[in-house]
Amino acid sequence: MSCSTLFKMRLVHLDLKGAPPKVSYLSEVFPLFHALGANGLLIEYEDMFPYEGHLRLLRAKHAYSPSEVTEILRLARLSELEVVPLVQTFGHMEFVLKHAAFAHLREVALFPNTLNPHEAESLALVKDMIDQILELHRGVRWLHIGCDEVYYLGEGETSKQWLQQEQNSHAKLCLSHMQAVASHVLAQYPGTTPLVWDDMLRDIPQEQLKASGVPQLVEPVLWDYGADLDVHSKIFLMGKYQECGFQRLWAASAFKGATGASQALPPVEHHIRNHEQWLQVAGSGPVDSLQGIILTGWQRYDHFSVLCELLPVGIPSLAACLQSLVHGGFGEDVKLRVEHFLGVSSLETMDPVSEGAASFPGSDIYALVTQISLHLRSSVDMLLERNSLLSRWSNLVQQLEAALSLTFYPDTIEEWLEENVLPSLQRLQGLLQDLDEAAAPLPPPTSPDWDTGQNP
């Protein structure tokens, strides 16, 4: 069975909380996403959204302007990609709660990741964010409201007091906030259904989930990025959710950003295997039990984490994963199709079919990042050719900077180079300097004039 029947929706996740691509790059990759089998985008704007009014301070330095967001949506429509915006409303709120103006809304004063659900102002803040996002995304069928990894929930002072009352629990605290946020979406935007990540729901007893009313309000996204995903326990979990009253369920896999916080190159095999496991899940449950699948491509593990694999570097993995979904697996024929799409002779080595033939948008970045990731540290460690080695790597880094500057903003480039390149180059420079100093002839000794203190 091909996946066109297993997963009606196939959304590519754009995580913009690190290395957000320029709109010009998105205009190049959207047609490729479509050609590979995607029919939607999950856009996680975070601080790249052009918030206005008292939320204006949330904007990153290079945040998209309203006209750029409109242009992204136009480009998505041209490539027949349905847009689902994502706004965090509970956990992963660092980009909001790091600001002094909102710090009083933290669940725990020390940590900016989780919103205090007891404060009326918290809900007002989240509603305002949702309203601004949906003002620019009118008529979307879905809005993802996040709600994953709500760390430290229940550990704030107000929560501790609230939890002492007999009928209260962490689960109830979580569900009541979810319900309040989802109810706002449905009341104000009747055609838009909220999606939520499912990790906070997994362990909540069935009866409690059912009684909360949440299953009538949201569609959960079951996420698992493992290559060894447990198919049977996923099917069991889907059954539990359906019995609780959730009308529709979604899956979420990963094509990058899920195997290490500072990973530079995605392990393609891992991600293909993850998708093959999800195909098994979808094929084993009742027909159409999964509405769609979101192929996540995380760019940071959280707002304060380092960058993981850049989007252009993740394109080969994404291509392999999307084509696996479309064709129901990753056989030799599918592999050949992917290599043809990317203009490479082999997915393993990523060598161009002929000089300059690798044709996917950002393939130059992919090639240069691969060289740096695989060879920079080792070549510095070996220190084979002294100065020629330094000039070779400096030249390669300059090429990469030029390639990156067409796709990313300066702060992304600076951060990636600081993390992946500069430490090694600085070690190399320091070592070469030490070697030069060691090899330099010593200056002649100067003897003081003991008699007069004047020069002869």
Side-chain angles (χ1 to χ4, degrees):
M1 186 195 278
S2 86
C3 181
S4 45
T5 49
L6 288 180
F7 293 108
K8 286 200 290 286
M9 297 298 298
R10 297 175 293 279
L11 273 57
V12 176
H13 172 225
L14 295 175
D15 178 16
L16 304 180
K17 64 175 173 280
K22 294 179 178 177
V23 179
S24 55
Y25 182 71
L26 296 177
S27 74
E28 294 179 55
V29 288
F30 285 0
L32 177 62
F33 291 175
H34 173 72
L36 289 167
N39 56 10
L41 299 168
L42 178 71
I43 305 184
E44 182 165 354
Y45 288 100
E46 221 214 30
D47 56 5
M48 284 302 287
F49 188 78
Y51 287 107
E52 296 288 358
H54 76 122
L55 298 182
R56 195 181 176 93
L57 81 170
L58 304 183
R59 291 186 185 192
K61 182 179 177 185
H62 297 287
Y64 298 138
S65 65
S67 62
E68 284 180 309
V69 172
T70 305
E71 175 64 3
I72 291 169
L73 299 180
R74 188 187 73 83
L75 293 167
R77 271 196 308 279
L78 281 179
S79 290
E80 298 173 43
L81 298 169
E82 182 166 357
V83 171
V84 177
L86 183 151
V87 57
Q88 287 289 0
T89 59
F90 206 176
H92 286 294
M93 290 282 283
E94 300 95 336
F95 79 106
V96 180
L97 302 178
K98 70 178 183 181
H99 295 284
F102 299 112
H104 64 288
L105 298 178
R106 297 174 181 183
E107 168 73 346
V108 175
L110 280 176
F111 303 113
N113 47 4
T114 296
L115 191 67
N116 177 349
H118 302 281
E119 291 281 347
E121 203 186 322
S122 293
L123 191 58
L125 165 71
V126 164
K127 286 177 177 178
D128 195 2
M129 288 164 66
I130 288 171
D131 293 346
Q132 292 201 25
I133 293 256
L134 290 181
E135 176 65 27
L136 279 184
H137 296 77
R138 294 195 172 179
V140 289
R141 285 202 284 171
W142 294 281
L143 169 71
H144 201 312
I145 57 170
C147 296
D148 59 321
E149 300 181 328
V150 188
Y151 300 133
Y152 309 112
L153 181 66
E155 293 182 28
E157 287 313 308
T158 318
S159 287
K160 282 177 180 169
Q161 290 168 14
W162 184 86
L163 285 168
Q164 283 170 354
Q165 294 168 37
E166 199 179 327
Q167 75 281 20
N168 291 343
S169 64
H170 284 79
K172 185 177 175 182
L173 185 55
C174 181
L175 290 167
S176 59
H177 182 73
M178 233 181 242
Q179 194 219 21
V181 175
S183 297
H184 170 74
V185 176
L186 292 165
Q188 298 300 314
Y189 312 93
T192 302
T193 302
L195 304 182
V196 295
W197 299 118
D198 84 308
D199 51 289
M200 298 302 290
L201 303 172
R202 288 173 200 164
D203 299 329
I204 297 178
Q206 211 159 308
E207 287 311 309
Q208 193 173 0
L209 266 180
K210 197 182 285 185
S212 70
V214 167
Q216 279 65 53
L217 304 176
V218 305
E219 296 177 5
V221 183
L222 289 73
W223 61 271
D224 194 322
Y225 312 143
D228 55 354
L229 179 159
D230 185 333
V231 173
H232 295 295
S233 68
K234 275 294 166 291
I235 295 165
F236 180 80
L237 183 60
M238 284 164 59
K240 171 186 165 176
Y241 286 153
Q242 283 162 333
E243 283 170 36
C244 292
F246 287 105
Q247 299 302 304
R248 290 202 181 90
L249 308 175
W250 294 67
S253 55
F255 71 91
K256 75 175 190 77
T259 56
S262 59
Q263 189 94 3
L265 298 171
V268 180
E269 289 286 324
H270 172 104
H271 295 299
I272 291 171
R273 183 89 187 106
N274 175 237
H275 285 80
E276 288 176 335
Q277 299 293 88
W278 270 117
L279 282 167
Q280 279 191 45
V281 173
S284 310
V287 177
D288 283 347
S289 51
L290 286 166
Q291 171 82 1
I293 186 166
I294 296 166
L295 295 87
T296 64
W298 300 101
Q299 194 52 78
R300 300 185 194 280
Y301 277 28
D302 68 56
H303 182 81
F304 295 115
S305 282
V306 294
L307 293 171
C308 36
E309 307 99 310
L310 298 171
L311 180 58
V313 181
I315 296 288
S317 175
L318 176 63
C321 294
L322 275 169
Q323 285 286 291
S324 297
L325 293 178
V326 171
H327 297 287
F330 193 70
E332 194 56 35
D333 54 332
V334 177
K335 183 170 178 284
L336 288 170
R337 286 177 66 94
V338 170
E339 288 166 350
H340 173 71
F341 269 119
L342 300 174
V344 296
S345 59
S346 155
L347 200 54
E348 284 83 13
T349 60
M350 288 301 295
D351 292 329
V353 178
S354 57
E355 191 60 39
S359 54
F360 65 92
S363 52
D364 50 349
I365 293 175
Y366 179 93
L368 292 160
V369 165
T370 300
Q371 279 195 60
I372 282 174
S373 296
L374 297 181
H375 306 300
L376 172 59
R377 284 194 188 104
S378 57
S379 73
V380 170
D381 291 343
M382 287 161 65
L383 192 66
L384 295 174
E385 298 166 40
R386 297 190 52 194
N387 290 338
S388 63
L389 184 69
L390 179 61
S391 60
R392 183 178 141 226
W393 281 116
S394 300
N395 184 29
L396 198 75
V397 170
Q398 281 174 348
Q399 287 179 51
L400 176 60
E401 274 191 83
L404 288 169
S405 66
L406 295 174
T407 296
F408 298 110
Y409 298 100
D411 50 357
T412 296
I413 300 168
E414 189 183 334
E415 184 182 346
W416 195 91
L417 293 175
E418 273 180 15
E419 197 185 316
N420 295 282
V421 174
L422 295 183
S424 294
L425 282 189
Q426 282 163 353
R427 277 176 60 210
L428 178 57
Q429 254 163 335
L431 192 49
L432 292 175
Q433 213 171 332
D434 291 348
L435 288 171
D436 287 343
E437 284 171 12
L442 290 171
T446 53
S447 55
D449 190 331
W450 298 110
D451 300 330
T452 60
Q454 295 172 340
N455 291 329

